Amino acid sequence: MSTQCLAKMFSTHIGIDLGTANCLVYVRDKGIVLNEPSVVAIKESTREVLNVGSEAKSMLGKCPGNIKAIRPMKDGVIADFEITEEMLRYFIQKAIRTVPWRKRLLHPRVLVAVPSGITEVENRAVKDSAKRAGAGEVVLVEEPMAAAVGVGLPVAEPAGSMIVDIGGGTTEVAVISLSGIVGARSVRVGGDELDLAIIQHMKRVYNLSIGELTAEQIKIRLGSAYPVKDEESLEVKGLDLVSRVPKTVRITAAEIRMALSEPITTIIEAVRSTLERCPPDLAADLIDRGIMLAGGGAMLSGLDKLLTEETGLPVFVSEEPLNAVAKGTGVMLQEDSIWTT
């Protein structure tokens, strides 16, 4: 029996969307089995891992002095190799427990989605971390391609399809045709930059210090890229930087939209520059096909309207933007040709 057949019968095939904010794991024939924050809680003195995922995220900004909750991924790439390896090991082992015992006999074959703009050194770091975390064969795929496949774009056709995948650390913009990326732009701006813009706005305008979790909640509740009717306001609690005591202020959706304008402009410029470099025949296809948005940032209210206004093209938000890349890896896992052995 060939190595390929043995691997198919006795190993688990896993697709990983290794995101800056969240990690999603897809197991072949099972679907998405895991969706957890890319956060790890460690004991600082020994770097012992205490919690991973949702439990670790709940500890952000609330840990005692000897415990620290960290994000080992930054801007779509590995910032802390040792902790990323531990996080991957936790997620891979958790995914393996969902499959029959005979599928656990060999090391899992792992397909990892990575940003299109990362270097060869960063590529190698992702592969090495996955292998040390327990993976057998590791194959990398560019995130925009996985996202395009995941949202159902006809990537194999001889026509242009455009995907904008706005993740936690990066925004991936790509024009795809004949199963290949014709033009792409990767900018290290995403959901984390939007959160940071809100944190800085609260400090600058209200002298109020807020944490990452609070900023994320403000973004979800009030964040927008385009004016809407009946805009809400929200009470925000934080630490007054002058009196050093807790304080509550009320903020509006309009001011948060202004606070988010700089990172949103960076995303729009990435889309525009990709369109400018697009071959004329493929650009003509986009007039009818438009632009597809994926990733968590795609859910920012009014972003599709703003992009339509800025580009003149129809813009659509995918049905499950958060799951797009993971679903794409799942489709690719059905193709045995992706493996080198």
Side-chain angles (χ1 to χ4, degrees):
M1 189 177 287
S2 69
T3 305
Q4 186 85 349
C5 291
L6 282 170
K8 189 172 182 179
M9 288 176 61
F10 298 111
S11 69
T12 307
H13 292 67
I14 296 174
I16 299 178
D17 174 10
L18 187 60
T20 305
N22 294 284
C23 184
L24 286 80
V25 180
Y26 190 108
V27 174
R28 189 160 81 171
D29 302 325
K30 287 280 186 180
I32 296 173
V33 298
L34 189 147
N35 179 357
E36 294 204 35
S38 303
V39 183
V40 181
I42 62 170
K43 188 177 287 186
E44 281 204 275
S45 56
T46 61
R47 290 181 65 81
E48 176 192 351
V49 174
L50 303 176
N51 279 313
V52 179
S54 300
E55 291 182 1
K57 184 176 181 179
S58 68
M59 300 166 71
L60 276 172
K62 301 177 182 179
C63 298
N66 63 328
I67 297 174
K68 188 176 182 181
I70 61 173
R71 297 178 184 269
M73 303 289 296
K74 183 174 175 58
D75 299 331
V77 296
I78 296 173
D80 188 315
F81 294 96
E82 183 184 340
I83 301 303
T84 299
E85 184 182 323
E86 291 298 323
M87 182 177 74
L88 273 172
R89 180 176 287 107
Y90 172 84
F91 290 146
I92 288 172
Q93 293 304 315
K94 196 170 181 180
I96 287 174
R97 288 198 291 271
T98 67
V99 302
W101 67 268
R102 67 181 180 84
K103 288 281 189 180
R104 308 179 197 180
L105 297 178
L106 299 177
H107 288 294
R109 305 175 105 188
V110 177
L111 178 67
V112 185
V114 295
S116 60
I118 71 173
T119 65
E120 281 299 316
V121 173
E122 290 166 336
N123 266 326
R124 175 56 57 189
V126 174
K127 276 192 171 184
D128 289 347
S129 290
K131 285 186 175 181
R132 285 196 297 266
E137 187 176 357
V138 179
V139 174
L140 305 185
V141 61
E142 292 176 314
E143 276 179 15
M145 179 61 79
V149 171
V151 301
L153 292 180
V155 297
E157 292 183 7
S161 296
M162 189 170 194
I163 185 80
V164 179
D165 177 28
I166 307 168
T170 62
T171 293
E172 307 288 321
V173 185
V175 176
I176 298 169
S177 177
L178 292 170
S179 300
I181 293 177
V182 178
R185 179 88 189 273
S186 178
V187 291
R188 296 192 172 184
V189 173
D192 288 351
E193 283 293 318
L194 298 179
D195 294 344
L196 181 60
I198 292 172
I199 290 171
Q200 291 173 340
H201 171 79
M202 299 304 292
K203 282 183 180 177
R204 186 173 61 252
V205 176
Y206 298 104
N207 285 321
L208 191 74
S209 177
I210 61 172
E212 293 176 38
L213 295 178
T214 302
E216 185 179 31
Q217 287 304 312
I218 294 171
K219 178 181 67 178
I220 293 169
R221 286 282 302 278
L222 297 184
S224 64
Y226 202 85
V228 296
K229 289 182 180 179
D230 304 321
E231 292 188 324
E232 295 182 32
S233 62
L234 182 69
E235 280 194 348
V236 177
K237 299 178 178 69
L239 181 68
D240 191 304
L241 292 171
V242 177
S243 64
R244 307 304 299 177
V245 297
K247 183 174 79 170
T248 301
V249 300
R250 182 167 287 278
I251 59 174
T252 65
E255 66 178 291
I256 295 303
R257 185 166 55 253
M258 287 296 297
L260 298 178
S261 61
E262 188 175 334
I264 288 172
T265 298
T266 302
I267 293 170
I268 290 170
E269 286 303 314
V271 174
R272 290 176 68 92
S273 67
T274 305
L275 286 170
E276 286 167 6
R277 298 197 305 269
C278 184
D281 288 340
L282 294 182
D285 294 332
L286 298 178
I287 294 173
D288 297 320
R289 292 172 175 251
I291 300 170
M292 182 65 77
L293 300 183
M299 297 189 294
L300 186 70
S301 176
L303 183 58
D304 53 342
K305 291 181 182 177
L306 183 61
L307 273 170
T308 294
E309 195 174 271
E310 292 289 333
T311 64
L313 298 174
V315 179
F316 310 97
V317 180
S318 56
E319 284 187 14
E320 294 181 294
L322 283 167
N323 297 343
V325 173
K327 280 188 169 182
T329 64
V331 174
M332 293 176 177
L333 287 174
Q334 302 300 326
E335 302 294 328
D336 289 325
S337 58
I338 64 169
W339 310 108
T340 57
T341 57

